[in-house]
Amino acid sequence: MNIVKEIGLPAVLEQTAEECSELAQACLKLARKMRNDNPTPKATNELWENFYEELADVLVCVEALDESKNIDCQKVLDVQGAKAGRWEQRIMESKI
């Protein structure tokens, strides 16, 4: 099924934004638990499960956008490679 054809590109973009926000919250809560400087009552395994669920939701949205041909996945991969390289470079420079 082509989700974008079914519900429209704006709806998929809205869903993607919502899922990204939920993933951000899951990451923040997990990091908070890992540092243990601002305790949360949730168990670590529960926080990891939430992280995986939210990451999967984001990936479903990206897949829907890819299948609809509304995004240029090669461009995304090119930008991803450049960003990964910059991140690695910053890490290396910080060790000098």
Side-chain angles (χ1 to χ4, degrees), residues 2-96:
N2 187 320
I3 294 173
V4 173
K5 277 188 180 177
E6 294 295 321
I7 67 172
L9 181 58
V12 174
L13 291 171
E14 291 165 344
Q15 186 71 32
T16 304
E18 180 181 323
E19 299 303 346
C20 286
S21 176
E22 291 172 3
L23 176 59
Q25 290 300 313
C27 289
L28 290 167
K29 182 80 76 158
L30 185 55
R32 190 174 130 193
K33 182 71 170 186
M34 289 174 170
R35 273 203 261 7
N36 201 29
D37 57 1
N38 184 7
T40 175
K42 295 200 176 191
T44 301
N45 65 328
E46 183 181 359
L47 295 171
W48 274 110
E49 287 303 315
N50 188 46
F51 166 80
Y52 288 130
E53 183 175 332
E54 299 306 339
L55 181 57
D57 288 343
V58 169
L59 293 174
V60 167
C61 291
V62 170
E63 186 175 281
L65 291 167
D66 178 38
E67 288 175 356
S68 73
K69 306 298 183 213
N70 281 287
I71 62 172
D72 181 346
C73 281
Q74 186 56 56
K75 182 173 184 169
V76 172
L77 291 172
D78 292 344
V79 172
Q80 178 185 7
K83 286 183 174 275
R86 284 196 306 265
W87 192 6
E88 291 172 5
Q89 184 65 34
R90 279 187 238 124
I91 291 169
M92 296 301 292
E93 288 171 357
S94 74
K95 293 180 179 187
I96 297 174

